[in-house]
Amino acid sequence: MSSETARLRLKTWICVPVVVLANAFGDFFMKRGMPRSLHTPFEYIGALFQPWVALGVVLLIVWQLSRMALLSWADLSYVVPVTAVGYVVVALLGRVFLDERITMARWVGIVLIVAGVMLVGGGTEPQTTGSHHGTGAAR
Amino acid sequence: MKWLIVGIMVAATTAGEVLQAYGMRRHGEIRDFRPGALGRALGVLARNRYVIASVVSMAVSFFALMKLLSVTELSFAVPVSAVTYVLETVLAKYVLKERVNRLRWAGAALVICGVALVSL
């Protein structure tokens, strides 16, 4: 049982950074290429073919697939807070590469989000489903 | 206007993720990461009605994110969407029946405060 726990923990530690970085850079590239005017459905579809937006979409697909895999063995209430760190990374990307001005109140808010995330994730075991391993998938 | 977009995005993201978690849990742990096995798993998941509903919700949330990114800055749009974590913790407890302790609730409360400050 303990080697089972260690196996799942290793899988989790490999998967989480992939999920976080794919999400953060996906959002960043989306913003980088997003046109200011989005009104008609045609403009939405057209924006998807803007190179930076397209790169962002690819990364967001990587994010979704790696996240789905992670959710097949880890609880939502573990996955969600841990990956929230990516939302802080993306704020830094906006500050550094998009020259966004971030007020002191906004930085404090971001720090509070980090603190909340660590509190939520800190006491949480990576895997809490324990006794069931899917149905008939083991063989 | 931008708060309406935030509301649509948060609701759609939360619905999508709870449906996704429930659908993937019904499917069971993914153990085999070889391309053929992953392809077969995708084939099975494409017929899972919870996964299908989650994909529709995610699409709504994606177009809402596009709209939000086009009218606000990245450092507003992304932190504000952290509200979904609070909603998700609530739904994880009452819909997915996961264990949510007091420490996690306190963390969720801090996230709410953080999001409020970010939106000032």
Side-chain angles (χ1 to χ4, degrees):
Chain A
M1 196 59 198
S2 64
S3 72
E4 173 75 1
T5 307
R7 186 181 69 83
L8 285 171
R9 185 168 298 163
L10 180 64
K11 274 171 76 169
T12 302
W13 285 358
I14 292 169
C15 207
V16 164
V18 173
V19 173
V20 168
L21 292 177
N23 187 15
F25 280 89
D27 284 339
F28 165 68
F29 287 125
M30 290 261 293
K31 173 62 183 175
R32 173 98 209 252
M34 196 62 66
R36 293 201 170 273
S37 162
L38 278 183
H39 297 291
T40 65
F42 180 78
E43 283 176 321
Y44 280 87
I45 301 302
L48 292 176
F49 291 94
Q50 207 288 333
W52 289 119
V53 176
L55 177 58
V57 170
V58 168
L59 284 172
L60 290 181
I61 289 170
V62 170
W63 168 55
Q64 275 303 311
L65 293 179
S66 57
R67 199 171 185 284
M68 286 174 81
L70 185 59
L71 280 171
S72 74
W73 69 81
D75 276 347
L76 180 68
S77 53
Y78 166 78
V79 171
V80 164
V82 165
T83 54
V85 172
Y87 283 68
V88 179
V89 174
V90 87
L92 287 171
L93 291 174
R95 172 70 184 83
V96 174
F97 295 109
L98 300 174
D99 292 325
E100 291 186 356
R101 260 176 292 171
I102 301 180
T103 62
M104 185 52 76
R106 188 165 285 184
W107 279 124
V108 172
I110 288 168
V111 168
L112 281 185
I113 290 171
V114 173
V117 161
M118 287 181 172
L119 203 56
V120 171
T124 309
E125 289 295 313
Q127 204 273 339
T128 56
T129 48
S131 53
H132 74 85
H133 296 299
T135 47
R139 286 282 73 85
Chain B
M1 174 60 179
K2 70 182 180 183
W3 287 108
L4 176 67
I5 303 167
V6 169
I8 291 170
M9 184 176 73
V10 165
T13 306
T14 305
E17 293 192 335
V18 169
L19 287 164
Q20 187 189 72
Y22 190 69
M24 293 305 288
R25 190 60 54 78
R26 278 170 67 101
H27 173 75
E29 182 192 346
I30 291 178
R31 291 162 174 261
D32 192 341
F33 285 86
R34 285 172 297 189
L38 276 183
R40 279 193 298 279
L42 275 180
V44 172
L45 288 171
R47 293 191 297 274
N48 180 325
R49 77 182 63 178
Y50 296 99
V51 172
I52 293 168
S54 86
V55 169
V56 172
S57 299
M58 294 292 182
V60 172
S61 114
F62 175 77
F63 287 111
L65 174 66
M66 282 181 73
K67 181 67 179 175
L68 191 61
L69 283 176
S70 79
V71 297
T72 70
E73 43 186 11
L74 188 65
S75 61
F76 171 85
V78 174
V80 157
S81 68
V83 170
T84 54
Y85 301 134
V86 178
L87 208 50
E88 278 160 6
T89 301
V90 172
L91 293 181
K93 164 76 175 171
Y94 294 106
V95 178
L96 296 176
K97 311 289 185 196
E98 294 176 4
R99 289 192 301 272
V100 179
N101 62 30
R102 210 170 289 174
L103 215 56
R104 290 204 225 172
W105 286 118
L110 268 185
V111 170
I112 293 175
C113 297
V115 167
L117 278 176
V118 162
S119 67
L120 282 179

